[in-house]
């Protein structure tokens, strides 16, 4: 018995699958009948999510700076 017969090869088959998925996604995003409404494309949603993450991260850094000030104030009070 021989091994399984692959359509292309073990390495090329996954690449073909990924490229087919990208093409299908692109066609579904650009189709005027079935595409998402303006402002809800994947690119816009990723930008929105990134801005929220960045704002939360900056707020977290501000909290860390405030925490360091609290620790310093406590250390000064103990002296």
């Amino acid at each position: 018995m021989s091994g399984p017969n692959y359509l292309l090869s073990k390495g090329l088959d996954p690449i073909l699958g990924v490229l087919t998925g990208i093409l299908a996604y692109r066609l579904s995003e650009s189709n005027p009948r079935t595409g998402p409404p303006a402002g809800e494309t994947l690119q816009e949603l990723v930008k929105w999510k990134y801005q929220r993450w960045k704002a939360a991260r900056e707020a977290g850094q501000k909290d860390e700076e405030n925490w360091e000030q609290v620790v310093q104030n406590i250390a000064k009070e103990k002296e």
Side-chain angles (χ1 to χ4, degrees):
M1 285 188 156
S2 65
N5 294 329
Y6 291 100
L7 179 61
L8 296 173
S9 71
K10 288 182 182 181
L12 201 55
D13 212 24
I15 294 171
L16 179 64
V18 169
L19 291 176
T20 303
I22 291 171
L23 177 64
Y25 164 75
R26 183 70 183 140
L27 290 174
S28 71
E29 285 273 316
S30 63
N31 188 338
R33 259 193 312 155
T34 61
E40 292 188 15
T41 62
L42 181 63
Q43 183 178 6
E44 292 165 337
L45 293 175
V46 168
K47 283 180 185 178
W48 172 73
K49 187 71 172 177
Y50 176 72
Q51 290 171 352
R52 282 188 49 194
W53 174 79
K54 190 175 177 183
R57 184 173 176 201
E58 289 173 358
Q61 288 176 348
K62 290 177 185 174
D63 288 344
E64 287 179 16
E65 292 171 2
N66 292 340
W67 179 252
E68 290 172 3
Q69 290 174 355
V70 169
V71 171
Q72 289 174 357
N73 290 340
I74 292 174
K76 287 180 184 177
E77 289 176 3
K78 287 184 177 180
E79 292 176 355

